[in-house]
Amino acid sequence: MSSHGAPVPMKSHAKGPLKGEAHVPGDKSISHRALIFGAMAVGETNISGLLEGQDVLDTAKAMQSFGATVENLGDGNWRVHGVGTGGFAEPDHVIDCGNSGTGVRLIMGAVATCPISVTFTGDASLNSRPMARVTDPLALFGTRAVGRSGGRLPLTLVGAENPVPVRYETPVPSAQVKSAVLLAGLNTPGETVVIEKEATRDHTERMLAGFGAEISTEVTEEGRVITLKGQPELKPQTIVVPRDPSSAAFPVCAALITPGSDVLVPNIGLNPTRAGLFTTLQEMGADLTYENLREEGGEPVADLRARYSPDMKGISVPPARAASMIDEYPVLSVVAANATGRTEMTGVKELRVKESDRIDAMARGLRGNGVSVEEGEDWWAVEGMGPGNVPGGFTCETFLDHRIAMSFMCLGLSTKEPVGIDDSGPISTSFPIFVPLMTGLGATLETD
Ligand SMILES: O=C(O)C1=C[C@@H](OP(=O)(O)O)[C@@H](O)[C@H](O)C1
Ligand SMILES: C=C(OP(=O)(O)O)C(=O)O
């Protein structure tokens, strides 16, 4: 079932090459944070290039429920009038975060140290994802969580009245957990410290510094030690959201496996905590180049050019790179199926707790389309069949997962027979213009 209506099956076919420019939407991680931090600042934050995907729209609605004013000015421009850290009012209704792990986990952090009670829910996918990874550290501040067994949504958070600062080492590599703890630390006196062994995306640290918080990161033997001074007055900002490298991954990978393709994907943020897929593709021998490499807002940005690459080889992706490409393994496995030799992906058990169990979802669909996949709890491996040799002809289950849906639509551009998906609805959570963008490049994507 689609999260927002009846399922919409879709098929993709190999046709001509993909050609042209792909202007992908704004970064999802940064869009959520722009709205939440804007709502916690005092005054008016202006955002341009906001991703208007369903996940982010659900976060915008939540911010309004807590008393912030959120205005859509059109063309990706939004204005948020914030209420200050600790200024959130108790909503009189349940907060529905839809399909979004980032939305619900960051918002739980933001309300955890406000003296209010809030009940959270989501769609069937979100309600099956683990939340104890956030409610456990929030309990250290004095926040109570009352919910279903196994730490699942729906759950109610009872905010700490007199929060105490915490020092917390994240047990899993997760920017959402790190961010939830830091957000709770904002409305807490004293210093909150988060330690992460493996670097995860650092948008919260960078953006909170931009909003005027005192936050520092020290790289030690323990890992990255992030220290936040509580109770700052966050200053409103003007935020230009960069384009999303996780969305860029789809036209890039589609071009690499579709004969004759040459696609330019302009203005993509290459923050090292996000760019692991592109390094991996280059190691496989992809014809993927960075043009016009520059710095914008303190971050590396480039135009990505991807051309058809029939000579790609399977590789072992180092586990240390996993966090920097965690959302990109599904589409990498599609490229791997078109490469020569085996691609091994290890240190990836977090893939099992995303919108779906992404190893299982991709393995089922790839196998159905004629590709051999092996898997264990923390790893999987795809036997490449060489360019254009995947048979196809199978309809894949997408399990309410946008990245699974888009990955299989890319696969179908390279297979002998069309590839189907049971539901394209979830694509709108992160990439609402995926279908027109891909068809504009020359792809054939058809609903029944
Ligand atoms: O903080 C974020 O914006 C995100 C963190 C990652 O999740 P985890 O923190 O669960 O790894 C990622 O998968 C998600 O798409 C966005
Ligand atoms: C895992 C993802 O998102 P979230 O955790 O926010 O649902 C994703 O976008 O791939």
Side-chain angles (χ1 to χ4, degrees), residues 187-410:
N187 193 38
T188 301
E191 282 186 349
T192 288
V193 179
V194 182
I195 302 153
E196 58 176 8
K197 282 194 217 78
E198 294 166 47
T200 63
R201 64 192 68 194
D202 60 1
H203 306 302
T204 294
E205 297 91 304
R206 287 172 186 257
M207 289 177 74
L208 280 183
F211 273 88
E214 256 183 63
I215 182 165
S216 62
T217 301
E218 212 187 328
V219 181
T220 72
E221 275 179 9
E222 268 185 299
R224 284 154 60 93
V225 180
I226 303 146
T227 305
L228 171 75
K229 189 153 177 237
Q231 299 183 320
E233 182 175 305
L234 296 184
K235 310 256 182 302
Q237 296 299 300
T238 297
I239 298 171
V240 180
V241 179
R243 293 177 193 269
D244 197 328
S246 298
S247 296
F250 295 102
V252 163
C253 290
L256 298 179
I257 61 172
T258 307
S261 298
D262 184 347
V263 169
L264 187 73
V265 192
N267 297 322
I268 300 303
L270 292 174
N271 176 321
T273 64
R274 295 290 299 281
L277 171 74
F278 305 126
T279 308
T280 301
L281 294 171
Q282 286 170 334
E283 285 177 4
M284 293 172 80
D287 186 350
L288 171 64
T289 49
Y290 298 160
E291 296 185 356
N292 192 15
L293 190 58
R294 56 204 183 273
E295 267 217 0
E296 276 176 21
E299 301 248 4
V301 171
D303 305 335
L304 306 184
R305 183 174 291 280
R307 295 188 180 91
Y308 178 53
S309 302
D311 298 325
M312 289 185 289
K313 305 269 181 298
I315 62 164
S316 286
V317 185
R321 194 179 291 157
S324 69
M325 53 178 289
I326 195 66
D327 294 340
E328 284 70 73
Y329 283 95
V331 75
L332 173 66
S333 70
V334 166
V335 173
N338 278 281
T340 302
R342 180 180 169 95
T343 293
E344 289 185 342
M345 298 162 276
T346 50
V348 291
K349 65 171 179 291
E350 278 296 299
L351 291 179
R352 297 206 179 270
V353 291
K354 297 294 181 185
E355 282 82 331
S356 67
D357 174 339
R358 286 180 170 166
I359 297 177
D360 179 64
M362 288 308 298
R364 284 169 191 251
L366 285 169
R367 286 177 189 138
N369 282 294
V371 183
S372 288
V373 181
E374 279 186 85
E375 61 180 292
E377 188 47 33
D378 195 25
W379 65 274
W380 54 319
V382 173
E383 291 299 337
M385 303 183 80
N389 290 332
V390 176
F394 181 75
T395 297
C396 310
E397 255 187 283
T398 51
F399 304 100
L400 285 178
D401 191 329
H402 52 130
R403 303 219 189 267
I404 303 302
M406 291 187 280
S407 297
F408 284 124
M409 288 299 86
C410 291

Side-chain angles (χ1 to χ4, degrees), residues 10-45:
M10 190 175 275
K11 265 198 180 111
S12 67
H13 306 238
K15 204 179 67 181
L18 303 180
K19 297 258 184 194
E21 289 195 8
H23 295 272
V24 303
D27 190 279
K28 178 158 72 74
S29 293
I30 294 175
S31 294
H32 282 295
R33 287 162 173 80
L35 291 168
I36 298 170
F37 301 168
M40 298 174 86
V42 178
E44 209 170 86
T45 286

